[in-house]
Amino acid sequence: MSTPHVLVVDDDPTLLLAFPKLMRLWMDWVTVDTADSAPVALERVAATDYDAIISDIRMPGMSGLELLAAIRARRPTTPILLITAYGEREFVMQALRAGAYDFIQKPLDSEYFVASLSRAIQMRHMSRQIEEQQAALARHAAELETTVAERTRDLRAALAAQDDLLAERNQALVQTEAAKRRLLFLAEASNRLATSLDYDTTLALVTQLAVPYLADYCSLDLVEDDGSLRYVTTTHADPAGANLVAELRRRLPPAANPAYPARDVVQSGRARLYADIADAMAAAGRHNIQIEHLLQALDPRSCMVVPLAARDRTLGLLTFVGTTARAPYTAEDLTLAEDIARRAALAVDNARLYQEAQKALLVRDHFLSIAAHELKTPMTSVLASAQLLQRRAALEGRTDPRDARTLRILVQQTLRLHRLVVSLLDLSRIDTGQLSIERQVVDLNHLLDRLLDEMSPAFERHTLLARLGEPPVLVLGDELRLEQVLYNLLQNAVKYSPNGGTIGVCLDCEAGEAVVTVTDEGVGFPAGAVEHLFDRFYRAENPATQRISGMGVGLYVVKEIVTLHGGTVAAAGRDGKGSMFTVRLPLYQPTAPGAEI
């Protein structure tokens, strides 16, 4: 971890002179900058990404609270500690609601101050690491996805261009039946190559296209990074013949085969036609009885070796072989083989890029899963310890108010981080198909009533209107997961109505379904965003949400959980006019088939 960089803001010149000296005594591992006014502080924040900012709350011109809001607009994740000689509750609540990390009174308690600042710096360091790693993975995956999209467009454009070329040739050669058959063959080849992005499937298709129309057997070799050839597959008109070709390749490798110009084709990138290879092949097997028998069984007469080239790179070689039962290959046959090779090369390259993109996405998802698991264990320990201290302090009744406030902030922030980690874990489980539910009979009325009671502190700036109806309202599902759904929707209603207003919660039964509706009078979302709200990592792009933190995971997880319960979730709203989310779940029917627990 690099040396932490901290900014101290205060209009008192005496404090600005003394503070760096105190910091060297308390935390000699921290670099300290100072600013004697809010405008100077904003200039420094614009130029430097500080690990933490310490500011007096009462300053002339722009107060600490106004400075806090201005800094949050520029550096939303930088922790800010506010200091004051006054202890009014109004300032404390304003500061915390505005996003302050902590609120510290003068005279400073050095141990508490050092502990709070250390936690803020550590949290900022962890956030940077996660953001940088996720950004790097996202950029890599985006680059690969972009490349795949570009290659897909290139493939379609190339196929369209080839089809145009074939149409022109068809006009010139329409009088001959052979030309018609070739056009049909190329069209069929294009359609088959475009049916799959799976790499192995595409490789298998490449050789299958040529047999028996253009070759009695066709082999595919891929060029390795060191320039060597790796034999992949052979398609033979006789299913048993593929094994004979593989055995011949083993006993007579391309480098030792005088009738197989592999190196020349790879280096030049130009196809080669050999109308008569019978004598050359016979000479190759003259002193080896096993090779001679294989050549007699395969009966090669002529061959074409054509490169698979894409993006100025030779990916591999296609070898078309005709037996003595087929007329020798001609220049026209070579042209057709090159057409097939061009189409096959685009398809192979596109499939390879798609495979790389899928691997990159798997690496990203694996990283998210590991990071979430690694963060969850220590965070759970911290949360349990903080809650234990909080309960012990409440029982003893002798806790200093500042310590009690510190414990409360510690528990709240740890819970927030815990929810973020749980969201990452759920995202990983969804991507790997491991998100499951344990079904039991759940009373939604009781669950909502309990959840609203537990969340009551979160509604202190809002007016809560709840209509739960007559209990019980029973559904068959996982109580913890359903609680997660309702909590996410209620928390969103609070978060996206930062100026307060009314939050409505309604539970009804309609046509065999339990219907839960959550409404708010907050920032809403643009009309075009509704179809993407439940997508992974999506956040509506309206100005009012730019200063509201979030990963775009909560609603995605909500939809997946509701879907696992056989239900649906929908959203409605307008930009700046609030929003409404509706969850529908099948009511529990004890007499229905499969209703037994």
Side-chain angles (χ1 to χ4, degrees):
M1 183 170 119
S2 59
T3 301
H5 207 169
V6 175
L7 175 66
V8 178
V9 187
D10 202 304
D11 62 319
D12 186 348
T14 303
L15 181 60
L16 286 183
L17 288 173
F19 212 97
K21 297 178 181 179
L22 292 175
M23 290 291 288
R24 283 194 290 272
L25 290 175
W26 296 341
M27 304 170 73
D28 59 354
W29 46 275
V30 174
T31 300
V32 180
D33 289 346
T34 60
D36 59 3
S37 67
V40 174
L42 290 176
E43 290 177 0
R44 297 193 183 284
V45 168
T48 304
D49 186 9
Y50 288 99
D51 294 279
I53 299 174
I54 305 163
S55 174
D56 187 18
I57 198 169
R58 289 183 179 272
M59 292 187 294
M62 181 182 287
S63 69
L65 286 176
E66 293 171 330
L67 177 60
L68 169 64
I71 292 175
R72 298 292 288 177
R74 290 174 170 83
R75 305 284 188 182
T77 59
T78 300
I80 303 172
L81 291 75
L82 294 180
I83 300 178
T84 184
Y86 303 89
E88 296 95 323
R89 172 180 173 80
E90 175 187 354
F91 286 115
V92 174
M93 297 309 296
Q94 287 180 1
L96 293 178
R97 281 195 294 266
Y101 179 78
D102 204 350
F103 191 92
I104 302 173
Q105 289 183 310
K106 299 177 183 176
L108 298 180
D109 181 336
S110 61
E111 292 184 1
Y112 176 79
F113 174 78
V114 170
S116 181
L117 182 56
S118 298
R119 288 194 305 271
I121 291 173
Q122 290 172 357
M123 184 183 74
R124 180 67 181 127
H125 177 67
M126 291 176 63
S127 297
R128 279 197 184 115
Q129 285 184 323
I130 292 175
E131 290 168 2
E132 291 170 358
Q133 291 169 345
Q134 287 182 337
L137 285 172
R139 285 195 301 271
H140 183 56
E143 290 171 359
L144 287 176
E145 289 175 349
T146 300
T147 303
V148 170
E150 291 173 351
R151 297 308 303 143
T152 300
R153 289 194 298 270
D154 291 345
L155 174 61
R156 290 173 178 169
L159 293 177
Q162 290 290 339
D163 289 338
D164 292 341
L165 177 61
L166 291 175
E168 293 174 3
R169 290 182 178 178
N170 186 41
Q171 293 176 359
L173 303 174
V174 69
Q175 301 301 321
T176 66
E177 189 64 30
K180 293 180 182 179
R181 288 198 301 269
R182 290 181 183 231
L183 290 172
L184 291 174
F185 168 68
L186 284 174
E188 175 63 19
S190 298
N191 290 335
R192 292 182 64 185
L193 286 170
T195 58
S196 176
L197 281 174
D198 180 76
Y199 187 64
D200 293 332
T201 301
T202 302
L203 291 179
L205 275 173
V206 169
T207 58
Q208 294 171 10
L209 292 172
V211 178
Y213 181 80
L214 190 57
D216 292 303
Y217 53 94
C218 180
S219 299
L220 170 65
D221 294 87
L222 293 181
V223 179
E224 299 286 59
D225 292 337
D226 61 359
S228 63
L229 290 177
R230 175 171 63 86
Y231 173 67
V232 177
T233 187
T234 294
T235 297
H236 198 288
D238 179 0
N243 294 330
L244 298 178
V245 175
E247 180 64 16
L248 178 62
R249 292 287 299 263
R250 186 182 70 82
R251 294 181 177 276
L252 185 61
N257 189 342
Y260 190 63
R263 183 178 299 275
D264 178 52
V265 173
V266 171
Q267 292 178 348
S268 67
R270 294 194 300 270
R272 291 289 184 269
L273 166 63
Y274 292 86
D276 191 349
I277 60 171
D279 292 341
M281 296 298 286
R286 190 167 296 150
H287 304 292
N288 188 310
I289 190 65
Q290 289 86 0
I291 293 177
E292 184 178 3
H293 288 165
L294 288 169
L295 290 172
Q296 289 175 354
L298 291 170
D299 190 24
R301 178 178 185 177
S302 60
C303 78
M304 298 179 291
V305 184
V306 183
L308 291 175
R311 294 186 296 159
D312 299 324
R313 175 189 171 193
T314 300
L315 305 177
L317 301 178
L318 273 178
T319 303
F320 304 84
V321 180
T323 66
T324 55
R326 180 187 295 267
Y329 285 130
T330 64
E332 190 175 359
D333 293 322
L334 184 61
T335 299
L336 182 59
E338 289 175 325
D339 278 342
I340 289 293
R342 278 193 291 270
R343 295 166 186 254
L346 287 172
V348 169
D349 191 46
N350 199 50
R352 182 179 59 81
L353 290 172
Y354 179 78
Q355 184 183 57
E356 291 177 0
Q358 293 301 105
K359 288 180 179 178
L361 292 175
L362 288 175
V363 170
R364 182 199 66 186
D365 293 339
H366 185 59
F367 166 77
L368 288 177
S369 177
I370 292 176
H373 276 289
E374 291 298 322
L375 287 172
K376 186 176 182 182
T377 300
M379 196 174 300
T380 301
S381 299
V382 171
L383 178 60
S385 300
Q387 290 175 331
L388 178 61
L389 287 174
Q390 197 176 38
R391 286 194 295 270
R392 185 180 298 167
L395 290 173
E396 293 177 354
R398 298 195 302 272
T399 306
D400 182 86
R402 290 182 303 173
D403 293 339
R405 176 170 52 81
T406 300
L407 283 173
R408 185 171 64 256
I409 292 172
L410 178 60
V411 170
Q412 290 172 349
Q413 294 301 318
T414 307
L415 281 171
R416 181 169 175 241
L417 287 175
H418 185 269
R419 287 193 294 271
L420 291 175
V421 170
V422 168
S423 294
L424 287 177
L425 280 172
D426 285 339
L427 183 64
S428 175
R429 293 189 184 106
I430 291 170
D431 288 341
T432 57
Q434 296 177 353
L435 184 66
S436 60
I437 58 175
E438 297 181 4
R439 297 183 183 274
Q440 60 180 352
V441 178
V442 179
D443 184 354
L444 281 184
N445 196 298
H446 174 73
L447 177 59
L448 259 175
D449 186 56
R450 174 174 61 79
L451 190 56
L452 291 174
D453 181 63
E454 293 174 357
M455 293 184 64
S456 57
F459 302 127
E460 63 179 17
R461 296 189 61 191
H462 299 76
T463 301
L464 178 65
L465 296 180
R467 181 171 62 81
L468 303 186
E470 294 295 328
V473 178
L474 303 181
V475 298
L476 191 61
D478 190 316
E479 183 170 0
L480 288 177
R481 289 298 183 181
L482 291 175
E483 179 179 339
Q484 183 180 357
V485 167
L486 299 173
Y487 179 86
N488 281 354
L489 294 179
L490 291 169
Q491 187 67 25
N492 270 7
V494 173
K495 181 166 68 172
Y496 290 101
S497 54
N499 297 322
T502 299
I503 292 179
V505 182
C506 180
L507 174 61
D508 287 314
C509 296
E510 298 177 2
E513 292 182 323
V515 183
V516 181
T517 305
V518 178
T519 60
D520 64 70
E521 299 176 337
V523 299
F525 48 83
V530 66
E531 61 187 56
H532 301 292
L533 278 181
F534 299 97
D535 292 348
R536 182 172 59 173
F537 300 130
Y538 178 80
R539 300 195 70 215
E541 295 182 357
N542 53 341
T545 63
Q546 291 179 359
R547 298 182 183 178
I548 301 176
S549 62
M551 297 191 303
V553 173
L555 290 178
Y556 174 69
V557 174
V558 164
K559 182 179 179 181
E560 293 298 322
I561 293 175
V562 171
T563 301
L564 283 175
H565 284 80
T568 60
V569 58
R574 290 188 297 168
D575 197 358
K577 301 293 184 180
S579 58
M580 177 175 70
F581 289 86
T582 303
V583 175
R584 295 178 177 271
L585 296 168
L587 287 170
Y588 172 60
Q589 304 291 342
T591 59
E596 297 80 4
I597 305 301

